mmCIF file of all heavy atoms in Angstrom:
data_model
loop_
_atom_site.group_PDB
_atom_site.id
_atom_site.type_symbol
_atom_site.label_atom_id
_atom_site.label_comp_id
_atom_site.label_asym_id
_atom_site.label_seq_id
_atom_site.Cartn_x
_atom_site.Cartn_y
_atom_site.Cartn_z
ATOM 1 N N TYR A 72 141.988 92.835 -92.994
ATOM 2 C CA TYR A 72 141.974 94.192 -93.481
ATOM 3 C C TYR A 72 140.552 94.636 -93.873
ATOM 4 O O TYR A 72 140.147 95.761 -93.595
ATOM 5 C CB TYR A 72 142.905 94.342 -94.698
ATOM 6 C CG TYR A 72 142.852 95.718 -95.322
ATOM 7 C CD1 TYR A 72 143.458 96.798 -94.694
ATOM 8 C CD2 TYR A 72 142.199 95.937 -96.532
ATOM 9 C CE1 TYR A 72 143.414 98.068 -95.271
ATOM 10 C CE2 TYR A 72 142.132 97.199 -97.078
ATOM 11 C CZ TYR A 72 142.716 98.279 -96.470
ATOM 12 O OH TYR A 72 142.656 99.489 -96.968
ATOM 13 N N LEU A 73 139.830 93.729 -94.513
ATOM 14 C CA LEU A 73 138.467 94.075 -94.948
ATOM 15 C C LEU A 73 137.494 94.317 -93.779
ATOM 16 O O LEU A 73 136.482 95.007 -93.930
ATOM 17 C CB LEU A 73 137.903 92.942 -95.856
ATOM 18 C CG LEU A 73 138.614 92.790 -97.187
ATOM 19 C CD1 LEU A 73 137.977 91.638 -97.990
ATOM 20 C CD2 LEU A 73 138.591 94.059 -97.996
ATOM 21 N N VAL A 176 146.487 102.813 -110.544
ATOM 22 C CA VAL A 176 145.450 102.771 -111.573
ATOM 23 C C VAL A 176 145.169 104.141 -112.092
ATOM 24 O O VAL A 176 144.886 105.081 -111.320
ATOM 25 C CB VAL A 176 144.146 102.162 -110.986
ATOM 26 C CG1 VAL A 176 143.032 102.117 -112.030
ATOM 27 C CG2 VAL A 176 144.419 100.765 -110.422
ATOM 28 N N VAL A 215 147.434 83.718 -115.189
ATOM 29 C CA VAL A 215 146.185 83.775 -114.393
ATOM 30 C C VAL A 215 145.461 85.045 -114.873
ATOM 31 O O VAL A 215 145.949 86.169 -114.585
ATOM 32 C CB VAL A 215 146.429 83.795 -112.897
ATOM 33 C CG1 VAL A 215 145.088 83.736 -112.149
ATOM 34 C CG2 VAL A 215 147.299 82.597 -112.485
ATOM 35 N N ASP A 263 131.417 89.674 -114.009
ATOM 36 C CA ASP A 263 131.591 91.067 -114.333
ATOM 37 C C ASP A 263 131.719 91.900 -113.068
ATOM 38 O O ASP A 263 131.316 93.086 -113.025
ATOM 39 C CB ASP A 263 130.397 91.586 -115.191
ATOM 40 C CG ASP A 263 129.091 91.505 -114.443
ATOM 41 O OD1 ASP A 263 129.042 90.852 -113.371
ATOM 42 O OD2 ASP A 263 128.110 92.126 -114.876
#
Side-chain angles (χ1 to χ4, degrees):
Y72 178 72
L73 293 180
V176 180
V215 185
D263 64 346

